[in-house]
Amino acid sequence: MITRRGFLRLVGGSAFAMVSLGAYAVGIEPMLLTHVKRYTLTPPHWPAGLKLRVVALADIHACRPWMTPERIASLAEEANALQPDLVVLLGDYTAGTKLVTGRVEVAEWAEALSGLKAPLGVLSILGNHDWWTDFFAQRAEAGPTQSRKALEHVGIPVLENDVVRLEKEGHGFWIAGLADQLALLPNKAKGRDSFQGFDDLDGTLAKVSGSEPIILLAHEPDIFTKVPWRVSLTLSGHTHGGQVRLFGYSPVVPSDYGNRFAYGHVVENDRNLIVSGGLGFSIIPVRFGVRPEILQIDLG
């Protein structure tokens, strides 16, 4: 039988462990050196001889003290050091939590990202928080958002239901970028009880001509259920891997499909999706089991 002293030691030890675990999840893991998550794959109908390195950054959520302009600039340097052919930004540049010590203005984080370099360029899409934190875009129920203006000001194109054709060593391919799927917040005064998106998957893919491969950028991974086999690879963020992930499972995932699209490389019906765990966080400043990461994807 456990003694009173033994019981108190057990309780004290458990409390200390919980406090230590919480301190790690809030104060240490979010600030750890960024992990480079590497994937190597040859998607369906990928041209023989086309070797392409794509580096992706997702869910930066700029704010102080967690994701300062200085840290974002260092992330750009880390991305450049991976020698990508192409860099893609997967949305959510603005803060996703109110638990901050200070704001980072759109011009600040955009300037920090302007250091990204790649032979085939840097392309971007927007995320839900880039819309949700933009009062004027919400009121007008239309863009361009402040995030889009800031990115374009520093020379980074933003794809919203648009495509661009790129070429490497004689092989052509397409990057398609979706507008956000959760752009407008619910607004009962305007008769909107749920989120409204501006994404147009069919219209976007209709802009692609010929049979060259397509890489789709879509901030929220839920669209993957509708993505046709014609698309070689879909890249998403948004979920942060659940921010807390234990033994391959995330208790809370901002997706209608739960852990199905929470994190990592998903293959369904010979279609490929990669979901980044992202770099920042939303709601609460906690990461556990999901270190901040940059994606390096080698295709072909």
Side-chain angles (χ1 to χ4, degrees), residues 19-232:
V19 170
S20 299
L21 187 64
Y24 173 83
V26 174
I28 299 176
E29 183 151 313
M31 300 300 288
L32 285 174
L33 290 176
T34 306
H35 172 60
V36 178
K37 181 69 173 179
R38 294 177 170 86
Y39 296 94
T40 301
L41 64 151
T42 302
H45 48 80
W46 190 260
L50 174 54
K51 294 188 178 297
L52 184 73
R53 174 168 292 178
V54 180
V55 167
L57 285 72
D59 302 289
I60 290 171
H61 290 298
C63 64
R64 292 180 171 87
W66 315 109
M67 193 63 73
T68 64
E70 294 76 18
R71 187 179 180 196
I72 296 169
S74 72
L75 291 171
E77 292 179 0
E78 289 182 52
N80 292 342
L82 298 175
Q83 298 183 313
D85 296 306
L86 172 70
V87 174
V88 296
L89 303 174
L90 300 176
D92 271 7
Y93 313 97
T94 61
T97 177
K98 294 182 178 179
L99 300 175
V100 301
T101 60
R103 294 183 58 188
V104 174
E105 301 297 334
V106 291
E108 294 180 275
W109 58 252
E111 181 61 32
L113 289 173
S114 70
L116 288 165
K117 306 294 180 186
L120 298 181
V122 181
L123 297 171
S124 69
I125 58 173
L126 301 180
N128 54 303
H129 284 277
D130 303 315
W131 281 90
W132 292 359
T133 58
D134 192 322
F135 169 79
F136 297 103
Q138 289 295 317
R139 186 175 65 177
E141 298 186 327
T145 62
Q146 294 300 310
S147 291
R148 174 166 186 160
K149 293 177 182 177
L151 286 164
E152 291 180 337
H153 181 73
V154 297
I156 299 176
V158 180
L159 301 178
E160 291 188 278
N161 298 329
D162 210 350
V163 302
V164 62
R165 183 184 181 276
L166 300 174
E167 189 172 304
K168 182 187 177 187
E169 298 175 351
H171 297 283
F173 63 96
W174 295 81
I175 302 295
L178 280 189
D180 191 67
Q181 302 159 56
L182 302 171
L184 298 183
L185 292 162
N187 188 329
K188 291 185 178 180
K190 295 187 177 183
R192 187 169 59 248
D193 294 326
S194 60
F195 297 101
Q196 178 182 319
F198 292 119
D199 55 299
D200 181 1
L201 179 61
D202 293 339
T204 301
L205 297 181
K207 297 179 180 181
V208 174
S209 59
S211 59
E212 293 170 328
I214 304 168
I215 298 174
L216 175 67
L217 313 181
H219 179 67
E220 294 90 359
D222 285 14
I223 194 70
F224 187 61
T225 60
K226 302 176 183 178
V227 173
W229 186 79
R230 169 80 176 83
V231 174
S232 295

